[in-house]
Structure formats: structure tokens, C-alpha cells
Amino acid sequence: GEDVEQSLFLSVREGDSSVINCTYTDSSSTYLYWYKQEPGAGLQLLTYIFSNMDMKQDQRLTVLLNKKDKHLSLRIADTQTGDSAIYFCAERPGGGSARQLTFGSGTQLTVLP
Amino acid sequence: ETGVTQSPTHLIKTRGQQVTLRCSSQSGHNTVSWYQQALGQGPQFIFQYYREEENGRGNFPPRFSGLQFPNYSSELNVNALELDDSALYLCASSPPGTGRTGELFFGEGSRLTVL
């Protein structure tokens, strides 16, 4: 079955870059996503990438996709304290309905002043 | 523009009871999905509603059921509650034209505690 794995914790200094990594198992995944969840809140879509792309940049966010290794990463440039949150990687498997995403368990990003 | 709103925000039930959670989708959105997020885990897909019909379901038993209304709002019903049903229930709506990209816009969730 589908599985998405992420490291649980990441700590960086304010102003540094953060890199959050994710691996997935479904080779038929069509889209891959990064969501952000702040305490007591729902999930906010940050960005997504189509599986035939290898990079997508959106302001401070850069997504890299290595489809051969089934590895996805999210780089946040100039990380700020407001970026402290849980970041979820998710894939949309090739089968299933359009909104049936498989999420990882999340990476808790802590930004230190 | 009002985002996705869910009610109630918190509730406590006992085993065997039934619960109904409600969701108003974001203006202009016509598809609603429900996810269950257990503590410390990522969300798990329960089901999706489009045109008032369920058109996708995850690995959840039939005691999880739902409705979508003509105004695109939705309900999630859970019968015969079990302790493991304790979780944050997230509703997400999606606008037309995102059937390929699968973008989800989440509400803040309803936290259910089953004692």
C-alpha cells in the first residue's frame, strides 16, 4: 500500500534555510503536496508539484522531486519564527479519488531566534 | 471570503454514542472531503462528496457516513463510537477545476474525545 515517511523533528536558526524531507512508495503518484499546520489549526496548502516536474519554486519555497528515488523535499529560505509549525508531505496516488491524499506523519519545524 | 468552517470545535462523547459533525465549504467550492487526524499523525482520508454523492472512500467502516447538501455543506456521522475514534476531524473543500490537481482547503477541525 501507499506509505509516506518524514523525519519527526527539525530545528533551525532564524535566517537559515530549512530542508524538510519526505519519501513515498507509490510510483504512480501524480501530484505531491506540502501542507503546513500551526497549533490548533487546520492544514494550509503551501505548494504542490506534478510528478513529471523535478523542481518548483514559489517565493521562499523550493520543492525538489526525485521520482527515481521517490524523494520529495521542501526548502524554506530565510526561515522565520513564524515558519514554526508541523509540515506534512502528501501524495495523490494514481488510483483513488482526486482528493484521496496519503499524508506523512509530519515534521515539527522549530525556528530558534 | 469566508473559509471552511466546522462545528462544533470540541465535543466529548461516550462509547456507543453517535456524533454528527458539520462543515460549511468555502464559497464557490463544490467538493467536500473528510479526514481523520489522530494525535501525532497525519490526516487519513475518510470520504469525499461531490454533487451530494459519496464518490471516494478510504479504509473506514460503514459506521462512518456522510451527507452533502445542495449548498455544498456537509455532515459527517459516526455511529457506535469507539475509543479509537478520538481524533481531530478535518473537513476540506475544493473548488471546481481542481479534480486533476486535488487541492484541499481545510477547516480548523472538530476535536472529538470518546470516553
Side-chain angles (χ1 to χ4, degrees):
Chain A
E2 306 94 12
D3 197 16
V4 177
E5 294 192 356
Q6 305 176 234
S7 52
L8 290 179
F9 301 100
L10 176 66
S11 183
V12 301
R13 292 277 176 198
E14 192 173 15
D16 288 349
S17 291
S18 309
V19 179
I20 303 171
N21 294 300
C22 167
T23 57
Y24 60 98
T25 57
D26 189 346
S27 57
S28 69
S29 292
T30 54
Y31 284 88
L32 296 119
Y33 309 81
W34 284 103
Y35 281 84
K36 175 184 180 183
Q37 187 175 35
E38 298 184 72
L43 278 71
Q44 174 195 355
L45 176 64
L46 291 176
T47 188
Y48 62 90
I49 188 168
F50 186 44
S51 58
N52 71 350
M53 297 170 64
D54 51 22
M55 188 183 90
K56 181 178 181 181
Q57 188 152 2
D58 185 359
Q59 298 182 341
R60 289 192 299 127
L61 305 179
T62 303
V63 178
L64 295 178
L65 174 60
N66 181 328
K67 197 171 178 183
K68 174 176 168 288
D69 294 338
K70 300 190 188 70
H71 182 267
L72 183 74
S73 68
L74 174 69
R75 178 177 179 270
I76 307 172
D78 187 25
T79 313
Q80 302 298 309
T81 54
D83 295 323
S84 291
I86 301 176
Y87 289 80
F88 291 94
C89 168
E91 63 168 353
R92 179 188 163 186
S97 64
R99 280 84 184 179
Q100 185 169 353
L101 305 189
T102 301
F103 285 83
S105 294
T107 299
Q108 171 79 59
L109 173 64
T110 301
V111 182
L112 304 171
Chain B
E1 182 180 273
T2 306
V4 177
T5 58
Q6 295 186 239
S7 63
T9 53
H10 296 82
L11 69 166
I12 300 173
K13 293 283 188 178
T14 56
R15 269 189 306 176
Q17 285 190 310
Q18 178 264 344
V19 69
T20 297
L21 307 178
R22 295 179 175 83
C23 172
S24 293
S25 58
Q26 190 167 323
S27 177
H29 290 196
N30 60 356
T31 302
V32 173
S33 310
W34 286 91
Y35 281 77
Q36 180 196 66
Q37 186 179 19
L39 201 60
Q41 300 296 316
Q44 282 197 295
F45 177 76
I46 303 175
F47 42 53
Q48 170 188 317
Y49 276 83
Y50 174 67
R51 290 185 176 178
E52 301 175 49
E53 290 194 359
E54 182 184 300
N55 72 341
R57 189 177 184 94
N59 189 25
F60 281 81
R63 60 190 184 83
F64 285 78
S65 63
L67 287 171
Q68 186 183 31
F69 300 100
N71 66 353
Y72 308 124
S73 66
S74 178
E75 285 182 356
L76 165 66
N77 298 289
V78 187
N79 294 322
L81 284 167
E82 301 176 0
L83 297 180
D84 283 350
D85 295 333
S86 295
L88 182 67
Y89 287 86
L90 295 163
C91 172
S93 68
S94 304
T98 59
R100 191 166 59 90
T101 55
E103 293 148 82
L104 299 170
F105 295 82
F106 284 90
E108 295 191 348
S110 294
R111 181 156 308 275
L112 171 66
T113 302
V114 182
L115 301 176

